Amino acid sequence: MTSEAQWQSPISPGISWYEDAIAERPVYPTLDGDMTADVAVIGGGFTGLQAAYNLAAGGVRVVLIDACRFGDGASGRNGGQFGTGQRAEVDELEKQYGRERAKVLFDMAEDAKRGLLDFAARHDIDMEYRPGHLSVTHKASHEKDYRAYIDSMARDYGYPHLQMMDAAETAKRVGSQRYVLGIRDTGTGHIQPMKLLVGLARAAQAAGAQLFENTNATDIRLSEGKVLVETPRGTLRADRALIACNAHIGTLEPVTASHVMPIRSFIGATAPLDDASPVLPGGESVADSRFVVRYFRRSRDGRLLFGGREAYTADNPRDISIHIRRQIAEIYPDLAEVEMTHAWGGSVGITMPRQPFVREVMPGVTTIGGFSGHGVMLSNHCGKLYADLVLGRGSDLDLLKELRIPAFPGGRRFRSPLLFLALTWYALRDKL
């Protein structure tokens, strides 16, 4: 592999601060010619690379391909927040599956959190982990629900790391009067995702996985008991395959495409703020209660990294920084003219119930995606769970296969316009 100074992703707009902040982003070769493997992995984000690492470490011949470069998708460009539990709240999961199954799913996500921290430590990956997260709201009417949630998490889910914040504490910890109350979570944190991605790819290669970038999968099919993955310059033949394309599934596999929808999200990075800045003095990450969520945090060097948009579409604004700066000013008026050094976007894979989509879409072919903005922990963990299943070490992935994930309505032609209308409606509700 070689290194390259600068790269503009063809699938995601803008150069991220994450890219500019790493000392080296290795370049991996393009697949040229036919290959065979025990397992073929399509997609070089967290899910695919974790699967490749764990499979190779277990003695499996694994070949991974990615249509662009590792980290061009959400894994290398996201908000960096771990979160706690699944993306769907525990009360939603209880209504669908009951308390017992909801607790199993919550525990799985907490295993994912611990597992990722342990992985980074074992492989000496400085992913700039910083502890603490604030869930905040501008609606005082949320107080009763917030207090009930804190009590339930401690009593029913064994999670004692949540504390209620009143208006004064919320204002102090956020550094803004915009929000009236919130929850502080001391059992989670946030990271620099591109650093994790680069370290993960290196670990996978060192374990024996063969990794290829700029290698697009144009077709996947079964032939004589094998899985054939076609690429522009060769065919990859394997006993089984993992599709880990998430928001970038395109037309490769129709079942995944009908259940996982790509939406755009955007992030801006300011110049480093003054040491005396009141913005997030405790270094926590923040996500607010809006349906079209705004999420932000401070980097290790003091920048404000701020994500969100008024309405999500598949398109890119002409100047991402204008939209981001406007939202920053709503929360931090003193930063209305702050210098924006970077602004970038990417596609997030969502599902209807905001739960992961895991299925065997054809014999020997598993698809994993749809983390719905909660993928830093879960995507890494699902890659490991897939490897565990292949290696006969565990079947926890089956718990996610059993989740009831409906297809988006409207088919390929109408699902994007319908989603746009729905999200725009929710964005308008956020203003009330």
Side-chain angles (χ1 to χ4, degrees):
M1 63 186 173
T2 60
S3 182
E4 186 173 88
Q6 189 64 280
W7 165 263
Q8 173 58 65
S9 168
I11 60 172
S12 301
I15 303 297
S16 76
W17 171 76
Y18 301 140
E19 295 170 85
D20 279 349
I22 57 176
E24 180 188 24
R25 184 182 179 187
V27 177
Y28 294 84
T30 299
L31 179 63
D32 189 5
D34 297 341
M35 291 194 72
T36 60
D38 297 324
V39 179
V41 178
I42 305 171
F46 288 148
T47 305
L49 286 169
Q50 276 287 358
Y53 164 75
N54 284 279
L55 287 167
V60 173
R61 292 181 306 147
V62 57
V63 175
L64 181 150
I65 62 173
D66 191 281
C68 296
R69 292 186 62 188
F70 305 149
D72 275 4
S75 293
R77 303 171 72 85
N78 64 74
Q81 300 186 12
F82 272 22
T84 287
Q86 299 282 339
R87 169 64 174 83
E89 298 288 357
V90 292
D91 57 343
E92 299 174 42
L93 295 172
E94 286 181 13
K95 290 176 184 176
Q96 286 186 281
Y97 305 106
R99 170 73 57 78
E100 183 178 352
R101 178 54 60 90
K103 178 66 163 58
V104 170
L105 291 169
F106 178 84
D107 290 344
M108 173 188 288
E110 288 305 291
D111 287 343
K113 185 188 296 182
R114 290 185 291 269
L116 188 52
L117 291 171
D118 178 65
F119 176 84
R122 284 189 289 112
H123 294 277
D124 197 26
I125 300 172
D126 177 20
M127 59 182 184
E128 300 187 11
Y129 178 77
R130 303 186 76 188
H133 177 75
L134 311 176
S135 299
V136 297
T137 180
H138 60 287
K139 296 181 179 182
S141 59
H142 288 170
E143 181 174 358
K144 181 179 179 181
D145 289 341
Y146 276 27
R147 291 191 182 278
Y149 174 71
I150 292 171
D151 291 344
S152 173
M153 292 300 290
R155 181 185 65 248
D156 302 325
Y157 290 85
Y159 193 78
H161 307 294
L162 305 179
Q163 295 94 39
M164 191 74 188
M165 301 187 301
D166 61 14
E169 183 178 0
T170 301
K172 182 178 180 180
R173 290 195 179 278
V174 177
S176 168
Q177 300 293 324
R178 173 62 174 162
Y179 301 105
V180 298
L181 56 89
I183 297 173
R184 184 184 181 207
D185 187 345
T186 59
T188 191
H190 52 99
I191 65 168
Q192 210 277 40
M194 184 62 85
K195 282 194 170 184
L196 172 60
L197 191 287
V198 169
L200 173 54
R202 284 181 169 141
Q205 186 179 62
Q210 294 180 276
L211 309 179
F212 298 93
E213 294 181 321
N214 292 306
T215 303
N216 185 37
T218 58
D219 185 49
I220 182 169
R221 68 183 192 278
L222 302 178
S223 177
E224 299 178 347
K226 298 290 185 178
V227 181
L228 301 186
V229 180
E230 299 292 347
T231 78
R233 296 164 65 176
T235 299
L236 177 55
R237 184 182 181 93
D239 295 328
R240 61 175 79 198
L242 170 64
I243 299 174
C245 301
N246 201 21
H248 299 283
I249 186 64
T251 60
L252 178 64
E253 198 287 305
V255 176
T256 308
S258 67
H259 289 80
V260 178
M261 169 80 76
I263 61 174
R264 285 296 203 197
S265 189
F266 301 93
I267 304 177
T270 72
L273 303 181
D274 188 272
D275 289 344
S277 171
V279 175
L280 299 173
E284 299 98 341
S285 58
V286 182
D288 70 16
S289 62
R290 299 162 64 96
F291 184 87
V292 184
V293 65
R294 293 178 181 178
Y295 51 96
F296 46 100
R297 62 194 183 93
R298 292 282 291 274
S299 64
R300 179 185 283 176
D301 68 350
R303 300 170 190 271
L304 177 63
L305 308 180
F306 193 100
R309 263 194 87 191
E310 286 301 322
Y312 288 19
T313 74
D315 301 321
N316 303 319
R318 292 181 180 178
D319 187 344
I320 298 170
S321 63
I322 292 176
H323 299 270
I324 297 299
R325 185 186 282 108
R326 184 181 301 128
Q327 294 179 34
I328 289 175
E330 290 181 18
I331 299 170
Y332 300 109
D334 290 346
L335 298 182
E337 302 300 325
V338 68
E339 178 189 356
M340 304 291 295
T341 62
H342 298 77
W344 67 96
S347 293
V348 179
I350 68 169
T351 64
M352 286 280 284
R354 304 300 191 267
Q355 297 164 19
F357 180 69
V358 181
R359 293 289 187 278
E360 186 170 10
V361 292
M362 60 182 78
V365 179
T366 299
T367 187
I368 301 176
F371 299 104
S372 303
H374 202 69
V376 175
M377 299 184 313
L378 289 178
S379 60
N380 276 277
H381 195 58
C382 282
K384 178 184 180 299
L385 293 184
Y386 174 80
D388 288 345
L389 193 63
V390 172
L391 293 166
R393 295 175 177 172
S395 58
D396 283 356
L397 193 67
D398 290 338
L399 296 171
L400 299 178
K401 290 181 181 179
E402 295 168 1
L403 295 177
R404 297 187 288 272
I405 313 296
F408 281 92
R412 294 193 60 82
R413 182 177 180 183
F414 295 110
R415 67 176 190 158
S416 292
L418 288 172
L419 182 67
F420 170 75
L421 290 173
L423 291 174
T424 301
W425 181 76
Y426 277 111
L428 292 173
R429 287 193 62 191
D430 282 336
K431 297 178 183 294
L432 300 178

